[in-house]
């Protein structure tokens, strides 16, 4: 049977400016890989000439255009937008230059504007209300295969804690977590800390100073694009409620969660009520004592850590990207005979 998807041109219009963090690029890379497996050709159009992001995209053999939607005058079969910074003119442009328009809609504001919305951080299923189809919930969160297939490594006797609040962490939650872990080192001498942050973080200098003061048992990872290997022997993960949380859940890690954006709260709360994470709340409401108490509890209860990790892995199976690409192609192919004025 002929592959109807072979050669279809899929464009990812992705936010890459520093304040956007790294989650937009990460999840689009995972979804692009799923489209590639279906025989599609993928291209990325990004906001800014960020060398590390361009290198990352080109290393995966994707064509990259920077901040230019009209350079080639290309009409795409499918456009997938992933940005909070597109205005009405941008959306109108992509509507007129695509057969099928898709958007990651973390703000839940594009109903009836695009053909398909992906709203992963709403705890729901699949619905077809209004003129926009909607995919929502944890089953549509795109997680790279390496997290789903990662093997937990043997322990070296240390108690390994990972701190990961995204590449930006504009709220400074990383510093609260590091302060808490530093205060616990005297009680738990086998404590080891891995901290992850990006060069675009407004708190990078303070984080570097803090890690330097904890250098005997801590290490700092800057702009890491893949954390699966480092996470392989982690006992407790402390981080935000974005894409990184679901990567950690997919690996079966016990998670202490502090949300750093409003759109993270719904699904993180959903996972908490089902016993898959320990949610402390929004960053503005979480203090040092809250963080210390949560970490101490998980250190003292290895059975609870094991239970959290098991439930987390059951909730997030890592197949979200394939579900997204299959849903997009199903809807695209059902509309492929429409009279489109290209």
């Amino acid at each position: 049977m002929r592959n109807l998807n072979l050669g279809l041109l899929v464009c990812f219009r992705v936010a890459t400016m520093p304040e956007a963090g790294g989650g937009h690029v990460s999840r689009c890379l995972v979804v692009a890989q799923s489209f590639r497996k279906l025989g599609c050709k993928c291209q990325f159009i990004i906001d800014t000439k960020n060398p590390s992001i361009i290198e990352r995209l080109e290393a995966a053999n994707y064509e990259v255009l920077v901040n230019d939607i009209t350079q080639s005058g290309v009409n795409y079969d499918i456009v997938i937008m992933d940005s909070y910074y597109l205005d009405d003119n941008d959306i109108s442009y992509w509507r007129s230059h695509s057969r099928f328009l898709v958007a990651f809609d973390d703000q839940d504001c594009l109903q009836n504007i695009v053909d398909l919305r992906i709203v992963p951080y709403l705890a729901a299923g699949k619905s077809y209300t209004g003129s926009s189809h909607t995919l929502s919930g944890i089953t549509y969160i795109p997680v790279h295969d390496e997290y789903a297939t990662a093997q937990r490594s043997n322990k070296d006797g240390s108690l390994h804690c990972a701190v990961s609040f995204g590449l930006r962490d504009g709220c400074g939650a990383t510093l609260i977590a590091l302060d808490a872990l530093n205060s616990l080192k005297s009680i738990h001498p086998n404590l080891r800390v891995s901290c992850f942050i990006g060069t675009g973080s407004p708190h990078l200098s303070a984080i570097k100073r803090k890690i330097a003061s904890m250098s005997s048992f801590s290490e700092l990872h800057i702009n890491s694009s893949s954390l699966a290997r480092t996470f392989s022997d982690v006992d407790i993960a402390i981080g935000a409620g974005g894409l990184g949380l679901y990567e950690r859940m997919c690996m079966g890690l016990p998670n202490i969660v502090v949300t750093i954006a409003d759109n993270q709260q719904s699904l993180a709360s959903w996972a908490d009520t089902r016993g898959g994470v320990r949610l402390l709340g929004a960053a503005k409401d979480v203090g040092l004592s809250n963080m210390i108490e949560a970490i101490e509890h998980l250190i003292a209860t290895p059975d609870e850590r094991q239970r959290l990790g098991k439930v987390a892995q059951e909730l997030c199976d890592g197949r979200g990207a394939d579900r997204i690409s299959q849903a997009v192609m199903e809807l695209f192919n059902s509309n492929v005979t429409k009279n489109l004025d290209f």
Side-chain angles (χ1 to χ4, degrees):
M1 180 180 295
R2 186 170 68 91
N3 183 356
L4 296 178
N5 309 326
L6 191 63
L8 290 180
L9 186 56
V10 181
C11 172
F12 290 84
R13 175 61 180 92
V14 188
T16 56
M17 57 188 68
E19 58 267 33
H24 301 281
V25 172
S26 293
R27 66 183 176 187
C28 283
L29 270 169
V30 179
V31 175
Q33 181 60 33
S34 289
F35 276 102
R36 266 186 175 170
K37 290 188 292 187
L38 295 176
C40 301
K41 179 181 178 182
C42 299
Q43 180 188 80
F44 281 75
I45 296 181
I46 63 178
D47 293 327
T48 55
K49 194 169 184 179
N50 185 317
S52 63
I53 289 177
I54 293 173
E55 180 181 356
R56 184 179 175 190
L57 293 171
E58 291 182 343
N61 296 315
Y62 291 108
E63 181 184 4
V64 183
L65 296 178
V66 181
N67 198 27
D68 191 344
I69 61 176
T70 60
Q71 177 177 325
S72 61
V74 172
N75 292 313
Y76 295 92
D77 295 298
I78 298 165
V79 169
I80 300 176
M81 303 184 300
D82 192 351
S83 174
Y84 303 153
Y85 309 103
L86 300 181
D87 60 23
D88 291 343
N89 290 333
D90 292 314
I91 294 172
S92 177
Y93 176 89
W94 291 116
R95 164 57 69 195
S96 65
H97 285 75
S98 63
R99 294 175 181 263
F100 195 76
L101 186 60
V102 182
F104 279 96
D105 188 13
D106 296 325
Q107 310 286 354
D108 193 21
C109 62
L110 296 177
Q111 178 72 305
N112 302 321
I113 295 175
V114 298
D115 297 309
L116 174 65
R117 302 185 311 142
I118 306 164
V119 197
Y121 300 136
L122 289 183
K126 182 177 179 180
S127 64
Y128 295 106
T129 58
S131 60
S132 295
H133 299 298
T134 301
L135 306 176
S136 61
I138 198 168
T139 56
Y140 294 103
I141 291 180
V143 175
H144 197 284
D145 289 346
E146 65 183 347
Y147 294 96
T149 60
Q151 299 294 316
R152 301 297 301 277
S153 63
N154 294 327
K155 295 296 298 175
D156 60 3
S158 66
L159 182 68
H160 190 188
C161 295
V163 178
S164 180
F165 283 90
L167 291 179
R168 180 169 170 76
D169 181 20
C171 298
T174 299
L175 289 167
I176 296 175
L178 291 176
D179 282 340
L181 290 165
N182 193 36
S183 71
L184 291 168
K185 175 62 174 176
S186 61
I187 306 171
H188 304 283
N190 62 335
L191 192 65
R192 179 164 63 94
V193 177
S194 296
C195 178
F196 303 86
I197 196 67
T199 52
S201 172
H203 306 286
L204 180 59
S205 295
I207 291 169
K208 285 182 174 179
R209 290 194 298 270
K210 175 58 67 175
I211 290 293
S213 72
M214 302 164 58
S215 60
S216 63
F217 64 100
S218 302
E219 57 185 8
L220 181 62
H221 303 263
I222 299 176
N223 288 344
S224 296
S225 60
S226 173
L227 310 183
R229 181 173 298 180
T230 308
F231 283 168
S232 64
D233 69 343
V234 164
D235 297 286
I236 299 171
I238 308 163
L243 176 61
L245 169 61
Y246 303 99
E247 293 170 345
R248 301 189 300 270
M249 289 177 66
C250 190
M251 285 190 66
L253 301 184
N255 282 278
I256 295 171
V257 180
V258 177
T259 59
I260 60 174
D262 290 343
N263 59 41
Q264 297 178 359
Q265 188 66 33
S266 175
L267 197 52
S269 178
W270 177 88
D272 178 77
T273 60
R274 283 155 181 77
V277 304
R278 171 75 169 90
L279 175 62
L280 298 188
K284 62 182 178 62
D285 301 319
V286 176
L288 180 60
S289 61
N290 306 121
M291 184 68 74
I292 291 173
E293 181 181 358
I295 296 170
E296 277 196 304
H297 174 70
L298 287 188
I299 289 175
T301 55
D303 288 346
E304 174 67 1
R305 298 201 302 266
Q306 185 175 15
R307 186 199 64 78
L308 276 173
K310 182 176 184 295
V311 175
Q313 205 163 31
E314 291 170 352
L315 291 175
C316 188
D317 64 6
R319 296 174 53 206
D322 289 340
R323 292 188 183 99
I324 289 171
S325 62
Q326 289 163 8
V328 170
M329 295 315 308
E330 177 184 335
L331 290 167
F332 174 82
N333 287 325
S334 70
N335 290 284
V336 75
T337 57
K338 288 197 315 184
N339 182 20
L340 299 168
D341 186 16
F342 268 19

